Amino acid sequence: AVMSLILRLWCRRPYRQRNIREMKLDDNLYKNATGTWMIRFLGEELKVGRKKGQRNHFELPFPIELVPDLEVYLSTWRALLIKDPLNPPTHVFLNIYGKPFKNEINFNEATSRTVHAYTGKHFHPHIIRTIWATEYIRETSDFYGAAIMLNDTIETVIRKYARLMDEGTALKADGWLETKMNTQRESN
């Protein structure tokens, strides 16, 4: 249940694995005044702690289509994992021992095993971010939107993903030039 929810959340919110692993209930994952589940990370919780001289604040609603699964996970599956109900862990996602994932290595191994079991493919959590950005940029050509969703700088996203725009660029530029030349010929 936990890996299913993590993987489906990642496809919709391409957070860094650290943010998924360290997400805390009522701090990073909480219900706002209108009852909407929200995910919020601030400053040092993010790789880029400051943007434009200000403390980085990254907040998005929990994907609406996953809310029923989140609520079942929190009330049933996570509750079953908690060994000491009087002193429950604050982390949202717990391992099979009812503890937060100790470190990046344990988390990466758990997600990799889960994905490999169902797909037979190698997996690393950062692949989610790469796939998400690649698909989004290919479809929209929106580097700025990708940078916002990845909570990265536009410069980093352009540097890493600009190659995606290489496909067909020469033909596109040639077509534009040909249109301009035809327009000029017709006006003469």
Side-chain angles (χ1 to χ4, degrees):
V2 70
M3 283 300 147
S4 171
L5 186 56
I6 287 172
L7 292 168
R8 289 180 297 135
L9 172 60
W10 247 334
C11 291
R12 292 159 178 85
R13 302 289 186 264
Y15 296 119
R16 288 180 170 82
Q17 64 81 20
R18 171 186 164 208
N19 295 121
I20 296 285
R21 182 171 46 88
E22 295 178 358
M23 188 183 298
K24 292 183 179 170
L25 193 57
D26 299 324
D27 183 13
N28 306 112
L29 175 68
Y30 68 97
K31 276 189 177 180
N32 68 12
T34 64
T36 301
W37 283 102
M38 300 295 293
I39 302 173
R40 172 186 57 211
F41 294 104
L42 302 169
E44 65 284 344
E45 295 172 330
L46 298 159
K47 182 177 180 181
V48 180
R50 298 186 73 75
K51 283 189 173 182
K52 299 178 183 173
Q54 302 292 315
R55 186 175 189 212
N56 192 355
H57 179 129
F58 190 62
E59 186 170 27
L60 287 170
F62 195 90
I64 191 78
E65 67 275 14
L66 297 181
V67 166
D69 297 325
L70 170 67
E71 291 176 344
V72 167
Y73 166 72
L74 291 174
S75 65
T76 304
W77 301 108
R78 184 177 181 278
L80 287 171
L81 291 171
I82 295 173
K83 305 297 183 216
D84 182 3
L86 298 176
N87 190 22
T90 58
H91 289 74
V92 174
F93 299 113
L94 305 176
N95 65 22
I96 60 173
Y97 306 107
K99 306 239 182 247
F101 291 92
K102 282 188 249 180
N103 54 44
E104 183 177 342
I105 293 169
N106 294 94
F107 186 73
N108 291 352
E109 286 174 357
T111 55
S112 183
R113 267 193 317 273
T114 301
V115 171
H116 190 271
Y118 289 94
T119 67
K121 305 281 185 198
H122 170 72
F123 175 82
H124 186 278
H126 201 76
I127 290 172
I128 293 284
R129 291 172 60 80
T130 302
I131 292 169
W132 189 95
T134 300
E135 293 299 315
Y136 180 77
I137 292 168
R138 275 192 178 146
E139 190 165 318
T140 66
S141 301
D142 180 8
F143 286 84
Y144 184 72
I148 295 297
M149 283 300 287
L150 294 172
N151 195 29
D152 222 328
T153 64
I154 186 71
E155 295 83 8
T156 299
V157 172
I158 288 171
R159 189 172 45 251
K160 183 163 183 173
Y161 298 101
R163 62 177 169 63
L164 297 174
M165 304 317 297
D166 289 347
E167 264 180 46
T169 300
L171 289 174
K172 184 176 169 183
D174 186 54
W176 174 83
L177 181 60
E178 192 62 33
T179 301
K180 290 294 182 188
M181 298 302 281
N182 286 340
T183 303
Q184 187 175 7
R185 279 186 216 120
E186 290 171 8
S187 68
N188 288 339

